[in-house]
């Protein structure tokens, strides 16, 4: 009996040692990452113009990386553009706390000391300059589709933002997700080219819905915040924050959804209706009816780009899913 107990103890001790070794390996493990270069992006007027358009109106980088007013449309608070700090926590499905980073050129708290390629790697591949995995609330999984030229344009424009000396709290990710996120980043090892809007209009519309976050926000999420790809664009993701509680709309062309009956002009017009709105004139939000949808940013998109998005969305599978976007609104 004593021999058996000794053997059992040895086995259990071995299992415990393996478990400790495994946890230690995971704790020290770095995500897959490519080496970064020190080469500078060749900044041209095209890059700056395209970068401004993407950052402010399409990818809406400033929407997450700035402070906001709680008036209607959740406009960016002037003077905070790019300073970071917005908290993503359990209310938004994050297992812990992740704050949007400072993406201004500030050398201490922002991107001032980052190389161009370090920014590109973080934005599209999910690895920071220290080789650590970013939490995918930063949508690098989708931004991996961002073309090289568009990505370079974004970096070029971010360099022109006013440096803001603003510290952001460190992220705190709950176990075991803190280990799981290390396996998500994937290095980009070949050129990424955007579809030509003149030659492949629908593919370009698909491209825009990816980099603009339409697919991410308007596709249902399960209890683990994973996207239900079988119901792409069907809406239903609940988002809670300073804006209140909002549920993303169904963007499929189902007869019960807006895209099922809206013309292209009506679709574009819905965005244009927000073109006048800004931080200075935004009125108080009606109770339960504020929105986190970046209407103000997207109102600056071109008719051609909004039209490409509309045309692409009209081709996707219709999904029946009636959504009440403002469930807490007072009648």
């Amino acid at each position: 009996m004593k021999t058996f107990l000794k053997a059992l103890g040895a086995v259990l001790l071995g299992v415990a040692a393996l478990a400790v070794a495994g946890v230690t390996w995971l704790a020290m493990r770095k995500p897959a990452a490519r080496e970064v270069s020190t080469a500078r992006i060749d900044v041209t007027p095209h890059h700056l113009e395209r970068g401004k358009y993407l950052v402010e109106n399409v990818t809406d980088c400033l929407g997450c990386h700035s402070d906001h007013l709680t008036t209607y449309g959740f406009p960016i608070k002037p003077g905070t553009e790019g300073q970071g700090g917005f908290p993503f926590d359990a209310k938004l499905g994050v297992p812990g706390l992740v704050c949007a980073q400072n993406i201004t050129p500030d050398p201490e708290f922002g991107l001032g000391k980052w190389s161009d390629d370090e920014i590109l790697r973080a934005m599209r591949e999910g690895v920071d300059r220290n080789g650590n995995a970013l939490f995918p609330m930063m949508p690098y999984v989708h931004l991996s589709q961002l073309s090289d030229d568009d990505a370079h344009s974004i970096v070029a424009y971010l360099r022109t933002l006013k440096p803001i000396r603003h510290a952001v709290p460190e992220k705190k990710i709950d176990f075991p997700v803190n280990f799981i996120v290390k396996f998500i980043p994937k290095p980009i090892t070949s050129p990424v080219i955007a579809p030509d809007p003149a030659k492949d209009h629908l593919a370009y519309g698909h491209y825009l819905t990816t980099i603009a976050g339409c697919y991410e926000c308007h596709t249902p999420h399960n209890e683990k915040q994973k996207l239900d790809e079988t119901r792409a664009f069907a809406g239903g993701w609940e988002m809670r924050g300073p804006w209140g509680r909002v549920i993303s709309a169904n963007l499929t062309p189902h007869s019960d959804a807006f895209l099922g009956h809206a013309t292209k002009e009506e679709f574009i017009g819905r965005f244009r209706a927000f073109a006048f709105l800004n931080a200075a004139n935004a009125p108080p939000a009606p109770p339960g009816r504020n929105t986190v949808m970046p209407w103000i940013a997207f109102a600056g998109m071109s008719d051609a780009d909004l039209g490409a998005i509309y045309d692409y969305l009209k081709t996707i599978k219709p999904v029946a899913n009636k959504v009440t976007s403002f469930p807490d609104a007072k009648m």
Side-chain angles (χ1 to χ4, degrees), residues 1-330:
M1 185 66 176
K2 289 183 178 179
T3 301
F4 170 75
L5 291 176
K6 286 182 179 179
L8 179 61
V11 170
L12 293 176
L13 185 61
V15 171
L18 287 173
V20 170
V23 171
T24 301
W25 176 79
L26 284 171
M28 298 180 64
R29 186 187 189 278
K30 294 287 188 178
R34 62 175 176 81
E35 293 295 324
V36 292
S37 75
T38 58
R40 299 283 295 183
I41 290 171
D42 183 21
V43 179
T44 65
H46 157 75
H47 281 130
L48 293 177
E49 181 181 3
R50 179 68 174 171
K52 177 180 173 64
Y53 175 67
L54 291 169
V55 168
E56 296 186 2
N57 303 119
V58 182
T59 56
D60 191 31
C61 307
L62 299 182
C64 283
H65 292 273
S66 306
D67 197 4
H68 289 259
L69 302 175
T70 56
T71 47
Y72 186 65
F74 206 52
I76 291 174
K77 184 177 181 180
T80 71
E81 292 85 353
Q83 73 173 24
F86 185 85
F88 295 89
D89 54 20
K91 292 179 180 179
L92 284 172
V94 175
L97 174 67
V98 178
C99 291
Q101 295 300 295
N102 186 332
I103 58 172
T104 74
D106 180 76
E108 183 175 1
F109 299 115
L111 302 177
K113 294 182 179 179
W114 290 50
S115 72
D116 289 346
D117 202 26
E118 285 173 337
I119 300 174
L120 289 171
R121 187 177 69 171
M123 179 171 61
R124 297 197 298 175
E125 301 164 56
V127 178
D128 69 17
R129 72 189 306 244
N130 297 316
N132 298 315
L134 300 181
F135 189 78
M137 180 59 70
M138 167 62 191
Y140 62 83
V141 173
H142 304 300
L143 292 181
S144 65
Q145 305 300 310
L146 196 67
S147 74
D148 295 339
D149 186 67
D150 280 349
H152 291 178
S153 297
I154 287 175
V155 173
Y157 181 66
L158 291 179
R159 296 291 195 195
T160 71
L161 295 178
K162 181 186 72 174
I164 301 178
R165 194 172 184 276
H166 179 73
V168 174
E170 292 187 7
K171 65 182 177 184
K172 297 179 180 179
I173 305 299
D174 298 339
F175 175 85
V177 180
N178 59 329
F179 291 154
I180 295 173
V181 296
K182 296 183 179 186
F183 295 90
I184 301 177
K186 295 180 180 179
I188 294 175
T189 57
S190 58
V192 182
I193 301 172
D196 186 332
K199 296 180 179 179
D200 201 338
H201 183 66
L202 294 179
Y204 187 66
H206 181 203
Y207 174 74
L208 291 173
T209 64
T210 301
I211 67 172
C214 312
Y215 176 76
E216 170 73 25
C217 285
H218 290 274
T219 296
H221 293 54
N222 65 20
E223 65 279 358
K224 294 183 179 180
Q225 295 305 310
K226 291 185 177 180
L227 299 180
D228 181 358
E229 297 181 357
T230 66
R231 294 168 61 79
F233 295 102
W237 186 27
E238 181 179 285
M239 292 169 278
R240 296 173 180 260
W243 54 84
R245 183 164 68 115
V246 175
I247 300 177
S248 62
N250 185 344
L251 292 188
T252 75
H254 191 273
S255 58
D256 289 338
F258 176 69
L259 263 294
H261 57 80
T263 64
K264 184 184 295 188
E265 290 71 24
E266 289 172 333
F267 179 80
I268 294 174
R270 177 166 285 196
F271 291 86
R272 291 286 173 263
F274 287 81
F276 77 97
L277 200 63
N278 56 50
N281 64 19
R289 285 192 175 275
N290 208 345
T291 176
V292 69
M293 167 72 177
W295 291 109
I296 297 174
F298 289 168
M301 291 180 69
S302 68
D303 283 359
D305 282 359
L306 288 172
I309 290 174
Y310 173 87
D311 289 339
Y312 169 69
L313 291 176
K314 293 291 281 188
T315 70
I316 64 177
K317 180 183 73 173
V319 179
N321 187 30
K322 285 190 175 183
V323 174
T324 300
S325 293
F326 306 106
D328 301 323
K330 295 182 179 179

